[in-house]
Amino acid sequence: MQAPSLTAQMAEFRAPPGTHDVLPPQSARWERLVALFARRAGRAGYQLVVTPVFEELAVFSRVGVETDVVRKEMYDFLDKGGRRLALRPEGTAPVVRAFVQHRPLTPFKAWYAAPSFRYERPQAGRYRQHHQLGVEALGTEDPELDVEVVTLAYEVCREVGLAGVTLLLNSLGDDACRPPYLGALAAYLAERAGQLCDEHRERAAANPLRVLDCKREACATATADAPRLLDNLCDACRQHFEQVTAGLSALGVPFTLAPRLVRGLDYYTRTTFELQSPALDAAQNALGGGGRYGRLAESLGGPPTPGIGFGVGVERILLAADHEGVFPPPASAVDVWVVDTTGGREATRLAHRLRTAGVACDRSFDGRSMKAQLKSADRAGARLAAIVGAHEAAAGTVTLKDLATGEQEEVPREDVAKLVEERLR
Ligand code: HAM
């Protein structure tokens, strides 16, 4: 059998399973979402932090050796220098690692837009490379910060236009109240081990909290009357939680208490929350989530520093937006199409003039006919064509054509940017 030609082999290339390309016009929504997030976070005093896509594996082991993210899904590898590294599965540990390394002033308020990697079974809304927008705030235990962070996450979803978002809120306690609770829960589960799903029969002792979060019928039934951490918080955690709920209520942010909300990472203490959308399937209905982490900075070698943050998934938000029919891509990428039937140099000059004046414009190449250029203008969704033919080139003018009404007007070249801006207003 003859080997396939190189060209035939190349045609087979696809983005790897669980990854995806983002092309126009969808990429314009992506860009808008990142800008919206950056604006909201910036307005609240969070500044951009960029960390490497890979870190020492141990940085991520701290998010919890018992979590799926660490046990099963890590993209870890040995580099050529024999270092054990991993692609970032989430955004919190790297920001805290950077905080510990650089020791900025507190409170330290960071936002990020970060590709994240988890070796999961690909399905709608669940990818091996996904993208998170998130914030982390370190250096204060003040529950008013929890209110700020939770509200920011909620309002980002609302600004996208998602109407059906539910904010679930829980407290996972602290080192004082969680261990005795876990003991009581483990004992409760041990009595019902036979009724749990296969996975949790094995793992209930190692991570009893996860059983509460299990979506399988067997675990849900067996834990229906399990003790709740929310009922067993110590005084300090209870007061903290009450202040968070009171703060959210004062801002009119609606939330639902979710005593079974556990979250998939081990570093959480006290406030935890998740934003869910009814537009997404139950297996991946979380648009985002977050919470407090009391010990992460310490476990990464820093001074004890409390933190709180959240991450939302860009893909999930856009998927939910699709379902709700909100946050559409913009109708056009440019406002003006420059049409030149004299060879192309006039279009170069005019496009440059317009772009310098701040007008979004594009033009055709390859000396196409007037008809073909106007067709491109239509396809791009431009509102105006700025036309230079032999007559305009000689007269030092430009013909502005409104592409919706067909109305046109010949204007002096020096005035074109000003007049275009007026027409687009
Ligand atoms: P997480 O809940 O694991 O939390 O992920 C945050 C969000 O990222 C999820 O709600 C979801 O929208 C998105 N996401 C996660 N995995 C995937 C995937 N495989 N495919 C598509 N989207 C996904 C964290 O990562 C924490 N670092 C959040 C946090 C920040 N907690 C405190 N600070």
Side-chain angles (χ1 to χ4, degrees), residues 124-254:
R126 197 169 282 278
Y127 303 101
R128 291 185 175 163
Q129 176 175 341
H130 71 279
H131 298 79
Q132 282 192 26
L133 298 169
V135 306
E136 308 297 339
L138 285 116
T140 167
E141 206 120 40
D142 193 331
E144 297 305 327
L145 177 62
D146 304 35
V147 176
E148 174 179 296
V149 168
V150 176
T151 303
L152 179 59
Y154 179 74
E155 291 198 330
V156 164
C157 296
R158 294 299 309 226
E159 191 176 337
V160 167
L162 299 173
V165 176
T166 312
L167 169 60
L168 300 178
L169 195 66
N170 193 16
S171 172
L172 289 180
D174 65 7
D175 288 348
C177 51
R178 187 155 41 171
Y181 167 76
L182 289 181
L185 179 62
Y188 175 96
L189 294 174
E191 279 172 25
R192 291 159 184 82
Q195 300 165 36
L196 302 178
C197 75
D198 290 349
E199 182 186 351
H200 287 120
R201 204 171 308 130
E202 306 271 308
R203 306 206 61 78
N207 197 349
L209 273 182
R210 290 298 297 166
V211 185
L212 295 183
D213 201 30
C214 178
K215 304 282 186 291
R216 294 183 197 102
E217 187 67 37
C219 284
T221 311
T223 60
D225 298 320
R228 303 171 359 148
L229 184 45
L230 262 191
D231 301 328
N232 289 281
L233 295 176
C234 60
D235 285 349
C237 286
R238 193 168 33 74
Q239 274 167 23
H240 186 99
F241 193 61
E242 280 168 8
Q243 279 177 269
V244 176
T245 53
L248 290 171
S249 300
L251 293 183
V253 176

Side-chain angles (χ1 to χ4, degrees), residues 89-92 112 118 120 125-127 130 132 135-136 263 265 267-268 286-291 293 308-313 315-316:
E90 60 101 50
T92 308
Y112 51 86
R118 298 181 187 181
E120 302 205 63
R126 197 169 282 278
Y127 303 101
H130 71 279
Q132 282 192 26
V135 306
E136 308 297 339
R263 311 263 310 120
L265 301 154
Y267 46 59
Y268 292 114
L287 298 168
Y293 37 91
I308 178 167
F310 71 83
V312 295
E315 291 85 354
R316 299 260 177 105

Side-chain angles (χ1 to χ4, degrees), residues 26-39 133 159-160 318 326-331:
Q26 295 305 326
S27 54
R29 305 166 79 201
W30 191 289
E31 208 182 335
R32 255 180 78 201
L33 179 57
V34 176
L36 179 161
F37 190 86
R39 197 166 54 240
L133 298 169
E159 191 176 337
V160 167
L318 294 180
V326 297
F327 209 66

Side-chain angles (χ1 to χ4, degrees), residues 34 37-38 41-42 45-51 95 108-114 134:
V34 176
F37 190 86
Y46 294 78
Q47 292 179 292
L48 177 66
V49 166
V50 181
T51 62
V95 169
F108 174 65
K109 294 170 73 171
W111 75 268
Y112 51 86

Side-chain angles (χ1 to χ4, degrees), residues 327-340:
F327 209 66
S332 63
V334 291
D335 293 319
V336 178
W337 200 267
V338 178
V339 174
D340 175 5

Side-chain angles (χ1 to χ4, degrees), residues 22-104:
V22 186
L23 300 179
Q26 295 305 326
S27 54
R29 305 166 79 201
W30 191 289
E31 208 182 335
R32 255 180 78 201
L33 179 57
V34 176
L36 179 161
F37 190 86
R39 197 166 54 240
R40 282 261 171 195
R43 237 189 258 160
Y46 294 78
Q47 292 179 292
L48 177 66
V49 166
V50 181
T51 62
V53 164
F54 54 85
E55 298 268 353
E56 272 182 57
L57 175 66
V59 169
F60 298 118
S61 311
R62 308 297 150 91
V63 307
V65 284
E66 280 302 327
T67 64
D68 284 354
V69 170
V70 173
R71 275 195 322 125
K72 303 188 202 156
E73 298 165 1
M74 198 79 88
Y75 270 93
D76 54 333
F77 58 97
L78 278 180
D79 78 356
K80 290 187 169 64
R83 294 173 200 88
R84 186 119 211 119
L85 302 172
L87 299 184
R88 161 176 58 216
E90 60 101 50
T92 308
V95 169
V96 176
R97 193 271 308 141
F99 171 83
V100 168
Q101 181 177 338
H102 303 284
R103 307 282 168 101

